[in-house]
Amino acid sequence: MGVMTLIPSCGFSCNNHQHQIIPSHTLIAQSSIENEFPRTKVAVGSRTNSSWIDGETEKFSGVLKRRSILLSGFSLLSSSAVVGFPSEGLAVVKQGLLAGRVPGLSEPNEEGWRSYQRPDEKSGGHGVGWSPIIPYAFSVPQEWDEVPVSIADLGGTEIDLRFANPKQGRLFVIVAPVLRFADNLGEDVKIEQIGPPEKVINAFGPEVIGENVEGKVLSMSVSEHSGRKYYQFELEPPHVLITATAAGNRLYLFSVTGNGLQWKRNYKDLKKIADSFRVV
């Protein structure tokens, strides 16, 4: 008899391995595809090399099973990545163990407003060696949602949080080191130690609007809550409300803004959001 070559039929590379068998009787190799996974059926007309063929078939079947598991795992990972990828525009941040529930955000109250408090476990220390960020809180209408923060935003990596509503406006929180302003203020800074409102807005206002604030400040005021002072500013243009305070070794800048139409239609709500900011 001549030499026959058994080449398994498979959907991926077999590394060109060929097994030569010289049987004493007829050897028939038949491949079939069932359920999209190839399997090799071998009919042997004699006892010659039958145990070797069974062993090779078992090995080949094991390879296919491992391939099936790998493909299934890859499919699951790919599906998860697609589901978790934020869509364009106002991509709502979905975090935590409860699907669809943003950590720190309460249910709406009877007036349709929700309160947000920065979770203790939220990541972001804004610099190696910095102490944990002291939580802050504010209130927003229930239609506002948290949106992803980009390092390309004004303020860069010091922007800790963003919220927005496409019809009403947007807000963000900047947490900046007071060491940028002075290096002798200690570890529990009060905003009055940094300076009066005029000094603070001139120094840190550009962090918010991206340009000098000279001639843009319409009003300034000071309020106090639970022993902590807050400086409040209204700038135009652009339309923006800024609430500033200090805690630990950081300055907190809370900015609420909107375009001309949003400002005109929602000024009352935007002002209420700005006034609600507290470091807790």
Side-chain angles (χ1 to χ4, degrees), residues 40 51-66:
T40 301
S51 61
W52 182 90
I53 294 172
D54 291 340
E56 290 300 301
T57 303
E58 184 177 353
K59 290 180 182 177
F60 183 63
S61 176
V63 170
L64 289 177
K65 288 179 180 178
R66 288 193 296 273

Side-chain angles (χ1 to χ4, degrees), residues 11 31 60 64 74 81 91 104 113 115 117-118 120 135 137 142 150-151 159 173 184-185 203 227 229 234 238 240 269:
S31 65
F60 183 63
L64 289 177
F74 179 77
W113 282 64
S115 61
Q117 179 169 318
R118 189 186 195 276
D120 291 333
Q142 62 180 331
S150 170
I151 61 173
I159 291 187
V173 183
N184 58 350
L185 297 177
K229 289 187 178 180
E234 182 172 343
V240 60
D269 283 348

Side-chain angles (χ1 to χ4, degrees), residues 181 195-205 213 217 220 222 231 233:
F181 197 86
E198 297 87 348
K199 188 175 183 180
V200 170
I201 194 61
N202 288 331
F204 290 97
V213 300
V217 181
M220 291 184 287
V222 179
Y231 294 170
F233 310 92

